[in-house]
Amino acid sequence: MSTHHGWSGRPAMRVAVQLPDAARAGVVLCPPLGQEGVIAYRTLRLLADGLEDRGVASVRYDPSGRGDSADDAAPNAQVRSARYAAALLRRAGVERIAFLGLASAALVAAAAATDDDALVVWDAPASGRAWLRGQRALAAVSVSGALTVDGVESLVGIDLPPAEVAVVEALTYPARSGPTIAVVRPGSRAPRALGGAEVLEVPGTAELLDGTSIDARIPGAAVARIVDRLDAWAPAVATPTTAPALDEVLDVDDRVAERILRIGPHGLFAVETVSSAQDEDAPVVVLHNGGAEHRTGATDYQVDLARALARDGVRVVRVDRRGTGESSPVHADEQAFLFAQEWLDDQRAVVSALRVPAERLAIVGMCAGAWLAGRAVEEHPRLVVEISPNDYRRTPAAPGSYAETAQGVADASPLRRWLRGPYNRWVPAGLRDRIARRGALGSVVGHLGPVLDRGTDVVVVATPEDVALFDRFGGRRAVRRWGARLTVVEVPDGDHALFSPGMRQTVVAEVRSRVAETFPARALSR
């Protein structure tokens, strides 16, 4: 696929433009807000690939102020970014434009499109007000601690200042005369405000959006139906295109800059953050995503962390492992490499490509990324920070097996769901935990022992629930054995997924502090 990566606009957006040599039309793939965007990331990539196969260009992007884009406090950044993405396609020579929005992004796409554009909304909420109401209810049961801090409201995977809340709340579907398609779940209806929109029923939306990022499944049949419909809408005649002039470097501020890297034999997508004040022998921090999640939603804390560390004099690389974000080809039936050997190999390839001496290396990871960081025995980092660890297996999982287990739980039969009640009531919690985790071989001692014995300092930052799991799998014994070399930081009001602002703030502060302590001569500012 001919994908052009870089930054464009002011404030700059990170964009991925898929551009055939001649394009019949172009589609702006608007990213959903918060956790919906995390779950849908690879699905939108598959959709872009399918469109390119039909001679239709597309652009995917992080809105300014989100993900890997530049900071932007403007409350209308979502809609403005969608319109800018369309302008980018037009400058490349694309004449006909469609806006496509999945879930919450349907509202953004509808606000950005004109009557000269086509509009496709997929599983669209009734309105911005209705979407906020549902997200607030979900946050109430998913996010620990205060949901509003200094006036900023935290939902599931997105923080919204008051002005942006007002903008999102006001989003609806303007009356349209241009082509409008509402993609819905089987048996569902389009939002009433869309009036006479064409309705296209597709399967698989629930399997994509209604679970977690671990058990989400790319709906290949749905993507194929949508590609077919956009193929039918696009003009028959293609016009020549010109590759867009994208910035290869993002100047975050007058000291910090970023660039995109391709690393290792699989061309892993990564973003490197550096400071103009760094030495040539500055320490290097490798940041691992949680699970198979790109830096959208709650995990874009990595972007703030990387830029803060760079100001401290550290070189930072945040990377998508295979099957994550922009790395490796995307397939509808792709296997998740959660806790698999493939991700350990990716970590080794990244560290090898960076050519950094072990005494100047730190590896920081969340959840499955934490497990990877703790397994970096051959890489021999000076510091490992495990954020929200909850698995201490010694034997890697087979590709796809961890996600298949999660999907099996989500798709349990009526009988199995009925049996859960008495099972949870009568089987002791400790035994249930051991049964549920019988595939997680080893213990904290077995997991962390090899890196600690080689001189690596390890810091665990976790919620009370994850700390309790750490203790149950031998964490206290490990602390007694290695003393100050193994530190546990418990975040009382935190949550495993880092949805809560307090958890993210603590993680950023702890990582910066530990890196400064480990490499004291390199800390340039606080």
Side-chain angles (χ1 to χ4, degrees):
M1 294 295 168
S2 54
T3 305
H4 305 271
H5 291 282
W7 287 271
S8 185
R10 296 293 182 271
M13 306 188 314
R14 185 191 64 81
V15 298
V17 184
Q18 292 192 218
L19 199 65
D21 293 336
R24 299 162 53 211
V27 180
V28 177
L29 297 173
C30 303
L33 281 63
Q35 190 68 3
E36 292 174 345
V38 173
I39 292 171
Y41 199 94
R42 299 281 283 184
T43 294
L44 294 181
R45 270 197 61 192
L46 183 66
L47 184 52
D49 288 350
L51 291 169
E52 187 177 354
D53 286 340
R54 307 291 181 92
V56 177
S58 67
V59 57
R60 295 174 290 106
Y61 61 94
D62 291 342
S64 57
R66 306 287 178 185
D68 290 321
S69 293
D71 293 339
D72 187 2
N76 67 336
Q78 294 280 346
V79 174
R80 189 194 62 216
S81 295
R83 289 173 176 159
Y84 182 83
L88 197 62
L89 286 176
R90 291 189 175 99
R91 289 202 300 273
V94 179
E95 297 178 356
R96 293 285 299 277
I97 299 293
F99 287 81
L100 184 149
L102 168 62
S104 51
L107 294 157
V108 175
T114 71
D115 283 337
D116 293 329
D117 306 315
L119 173 66
V120 181
V121 297
W122 180 2
D123 203 45
S127 65
R129 185 184 299 274
W131 182 80
L132 277 171
R133 186 166 55 247
Q135 291 297 302
R136 284 166 174 154
L138 184 60
V141 298
S142 304
V143 181
S144 301
L147 296 179
T148 301
V149 178
D150 297 331
V152 177
E153 184 174 1
S154 289
L155 301 178
V156 181
I158 189 169
D159 294 340
L160 297 175
E164 192 170 2
V165 169
V167 168
V168 172
E169 197 167 35
L171 289 175
T172 185
Y173 302 99
R176 287 182 50 80
S177 60
T180 306
I181 302 166
V183 180
V184 302
R185 306 180 187 205
S188 299
R189 297 180 179 179
R192 186 176 302 175
L194 285 171
E198 174 190 344
V199 176
L200 179 67
E201 289 192 3
V202 301
T205 305
E207 289 78 5
L208 171 66
L209 291 177
D210 291 357
T212 68
S213 62
I214 293 175
D215 56 37
R217 278 157 283 186
I218 297 175
V223 169
R225 291 279 305 281
I226 294 169
V227 168
D228 285 344
R229 184 64 188 86
L230 285 167
D231 183 29
W233 158 79
V237 178
T239 58
T241 60
T242 303
L246 304 180
D247 296 331
E248 295 181 0
V249 174
L250 170 66
D251 290 320
V252 176
D253 54 33
D254 59 357
R255 290 180 56 189
V256 174
E258 296 186 332
R259 64 172 179 148
I260 291 169
L261 306 177
R262 287 291 187 177
I263 297 177
H266 298 284
L268 303 176
F269 182 92
V271 178
E272 178 186 51
T273 309
V274 298
S275 166
S276 59
Q278 284 174 9
D279 319 280
E280 291 185 0
D281 60 346
V284 175
V285 173
V286 174
L287 293 181
H288 280 308
N289 302 331
E293 297 184 351
H294 188 67
R295 290 166 300 282
T296 54
T299 53
D300 69 4
Y301 83 93
Q302 284 196 354
V303 181
D304 293 335
L305 174 58
R307 294 169 182 174
L309 285 169
R311 295 184 187 101
D312 293 341
V314 180
R315 177 186 173 199
V316 186
V317 176
R318 50 190 193 266
V319 61
D320 289 345
R321 300 176 298 271
R322 272 177 283 176
T324 303
E326 294 292 333
S327 287
S328 67
V330 61
H331 306 283
D333 58 351
E334 65 183 13
Q335 294 179 317
F337 295 115
L338 284 152
F339 303 104
Q341 182 64 44
E342 283 77 358
W343 278 0
L344 292 171
D345 295 340
D346 288 346
Q347 174 171 256
R348 190 165 298 120
V350 169
V351 173
S352 175
L354 294 177
R355 299 181 182 277
V356 55
E359 65 269 15
R360 292 195 282 109
L361 174 65
I363 302 180
V364 179
M366 170 193 167
C367 191
W371 177 79
L372 283 169
R375 290 293 303 272
V377 180
E378 293 184 20
E379 293 77 17
H380 195 189
R382 181 69 187 82
L383 173 69
V384 160
V385 182
E386 293 200 2
I387 304 161
S388 299
N390 65 356
D391 199 295
Y392 305 101
R393 69 182 67 218
R394 293 290 303 278
T395 304
S401 62
Y402 192 92
E404 288 169 2
T405 299
Q407 290 167 2
V409 172
D411 297 339
S413 66
L415 175 61
R416 186 171 180 178
R417 288 196 296 270
W418 180 83
L419 288 172
R420 281 179 185 163
Y423 175 81
N424 291 336
R425 189 163 51 248
W426 297 110
V427 178
L431 179 57
R432 292 202 311 269
D433 186 75
R434 287 195 295 274
I435 294 172
R437 298 175 60 82
R438 60 187 178 272
L441 306 179
S443 63
V444 172
V445 171
H447 167 65
L448 290 177
V451 292
L452 287 162
D453 283 340
R454 294 198 63 176
T456 298
D457 291 334
V458 176
V459 180
V460 173
V461 185
T463 67
E465 291 77 12
D466 285 336
V467 170
L469 189 65
F470 175 86
D471 289 343
R472 190 151 61 244
F473 280 81
R476 292 183 182 179
R477 182 159 59 93
V479 170
R480 288 194 300 269
R481 179 170 173 176
W482 284 285
R485 299 270 309 289
L486 173 58
T487 306
V488 179
V489 178
E490 184 172 329
V491 188
D493 60 348
D495 66 301
H496 176 83
L498 274 65
F499 291 147
S500 69
M503 183 69 177
R504 292 195 301 275
Q505 290 166 6
T506 298
V507 164
V508 170
E510 282 293 333
V511 172
R512 289 185 69 191
S513 173
R514 301 293 174 162
V515 169
E517 291 173 7
T518 305
F519 311 102
R522 309 299 176 191
L524 303 182
S525 65
R526 297 300 297 163

